[in-house]
Amino acid sequence: MVPVLAGCGGSRGIGGEAGGGPALATPAPAAPATPPPAVQGPLSTVPAAPALIPPPVRAPDAKVRIAILLPLSGPEARIGQALLNAAQLALFDVADADFELRPYDTGGDPMEAGTVAQQALSDGAEIILGPLFAAATTAVAPHAHQAGVPVLSFSNDEAVADRGIFVLGFLPRDQVSRVVRYATAQGLSRYAALAPDTPYGRAVTRALQDSAQSAGASVVRSRLYDPATSDFTQIARQFADYDQRRRALAAEKARLAGRDDEASRRALARLERMETVEDLPYQAVLLPDAGQRLRSLAPMLAYFDIDHRKVRMLGTTLWDDASIAGEPTLGGGWYAAPAADVRATFENRYQQAFGTRPPLVAGLAYDATALVALLSRDREQPDFSLETLTSPEGFAGVNGIFRLKPDGLNERGLAVYEINNGQRRVIDPAPQSFQPLIN
């Protein structure tokens, strides 16, 4: 059974009488006077699992102290505040009176995260939520390892994952594997990637190689481009084999022009309406980009005769954006992302509470806070053991089901979406449970 992390009817607010609700230990922007209504439904318990090191017996009046490390100042303060807001919603929904969530500001310097992690551990933190970025997670890891305290980072960089250092972010390998498995099941077997030359772009291209191999397919082309570029003309032209295919068209037209039979004349007339001949070596192209770059690249690929009606465009969770769905040259494209229907309830409650829509990453803070609050229900011995955190059944959160793996990575149940005419629709629903882990 997958433990459910969504809230139940008996929510308790922050504030009120002393001891009457979960505590936010340091000042944070005010939450609503009355908590928004919680999602109805029972909270399942996590199956008992032995701890690696039996935790000490707690004092009867001791709080369960949880640290959350976020950039609450500096250039990423807006995202940091959104994550803290989401964590507060989880406090309303799941935590009891003995649960204390203490925010620590990592600022704009990744190394500051190491300093505040030391302070959090000195303050008695039993588990660390955050930080947000990979570099900050790297700075926190040695201090957490030394103290034997788990970390649930919001990063999506696999490189920082380790035993006891979990990354909760949406991993490129999950997204790519999901959409490639689906595409291969629909008969596609030859893939290409055109990605920005960034850590994310490189991670996605590696994931495509691994996913295609696992699915019995192949990657026939992989190209990286400078993320600073604003002119995709030559990049698209080369990726499309445009000049080679134009020369093939000219040669075929010349061959037919020398003939006088009716079939040749009809074939020549048909070629006059074409830009190129010869099929491309790939049936699908993975484009792991977003925003203006993707909206500039996709039309250029179409201009150089990569027809989205013949070559399937594939994306990642970056495509979960209305502006991408409205790009005509990506029509019929597929990408994997969390199930929107599950996330919608959380997003609506967040907007009611804080007056704005949450970024996708905010759900990570809700789920992390709800998870540790659930595991804290036995205040004399909260179970943050690696065995429990890596329960193979996983957990059901606001972004769907997820589970943490012993190597620090996570696995998520994602849906596959198709975009067309400004609309996104689910073409393969997210799973409701996990298959057993295979070592």
Side-chain angles (χ1 to χ4, degrees), residues 87-391:
Q88 291 186 63
L89 284 183
L91 283 177
F92 287 135
D93 291 348
V94 184
D96 62 21
D98 297 303
F99 185 90
E100 180 181 278
L101 183 69
R102 181 169 295 188
Y104 294 82
D105 183 11
T106 60
D109 180 3
M111 294 304 102
E112 181 67 15
T115 301
V116 299
Q118 288 179 287
Q119 182 61 54
L121 294 167
S122 177
D123 292 342
E126 298 175 54
I127 190 168
I128 293 174
L129 312 184
L132 177 56
F133 298 111
T137 304
T138 298
V140 167
H143 306 294
H145 275 313
Q146 185 175 20
V149 169
V151 173
L152 304 184
S153 168
F154 303 129
S155 171
N156 69 347
D157 188 342
E158 297 183 12
V160 301
D162 196 3
R163 183 171 172 81
I165 309 296
F166 299 98
V167 290
L168 293 185
F170 302 103
L171 300 181
R173 71 163 67 188
D174 262 6
Q175 301 162 43
V176 175
S177 175
R178 179 71 170 97
V179 76
V180 167
R181 288 198 311 271
Y182 177 79
T184 303
Q186 309 314 305
L188 303 182
S189 60
R190 301 189 307 279
Y191 294 89
L194 184 56
D197 191 3
T198 61
Y200 180 80
R202 293 190 291 273
V204 167
T205 56
R206 289 193 299 271
L208 178 61
Q209 291 282 356
D210 294 342
S211 299
Q213 183 176 5
S214 296
S218 62
V219 178
V220 298
R221 182 165 300 172
S222 184
R223 298 285 187 276
L224 298 173
Y225 54 82
D226 183 349
T229 191
S230 58
D231 183 356
F232 287 97
T233 304
Q234 289 306 313
I235 294 168
R237 188 182 197 116
Q238 293 172 9
F239 192 78
D241 293 337
Y242 184 75
D243 293 336
Q244 172 187 321
R245 295 163 70 211
R246 285 285 289 177
R247 287 192 297 269
L249 174 65
E252 183 64 9
K253 288 166 70 175
R255 185 183 70 83
L256 292 171
R259 299 185 176 186
D260 197 33
D261 58 282
E262 183 61 26
S264 295
R265 285 195 296 270
R266 286 198 300 269
L268 182 59
R270 187 175 64 254
L271 291 180
E272 294 293 349
R273 299 190 296 270
M274 297 174 64
E275 286 285 324
T276 62
V277 293
E278 295 189 351
D279 290 335
L280 287 159
Y282 42 82
Q283 299 166 295
V285 178
L286 180 61
L287 301 173
D289 213 335
Q292 186 55 52
R293 276 205 310 253
L294 182 58
R295 292 194 297 272
S296 298
L297 172 59
M300 197 58 66
L301 293 175
Y303 180 80
F304 287 110
D305 210 29
I306 300 180
D307 188 342
H308 68 276
R309 293 166 296 185
K310 299 177 181 177
V311 176
R312 184 74 61 176
M313 301 297 167
L314 305 178
T316 65
T317 299
L318 294 178
W319 283 27
D320 204 31
D321 180 321
S323 67
I324 303 302
E327 171 51 54
T329 56
L330 294 174
W334 298 336
Y335 70 94
D341 56 340
V342 176
R343 194 171 69 243
T345 301
F346 163 72
E347 290 181 338
N348 291 337
R349 292 185 57 245
Y350 184 103
Q351 184 160 27
Q352 291 171 7
F354 301 105
T356 186
R357 300 295 286 179
L360 181 61
V361 72
L364 303 180
Y366 182 98
D367 284 350
T369 305
L371 173 59
V372 297
L374 180 63
L375 300 179
S376 301
R377 286 297 174 87
D378 182 354
R379 76 178 228 191
E380 292 187 359
Q381 194 166 318
D383 190 357
F384 302 139
S385 67
L386 298 189
E387 289 92 341
T388 296
L389 289 171
T390 59
S391 169

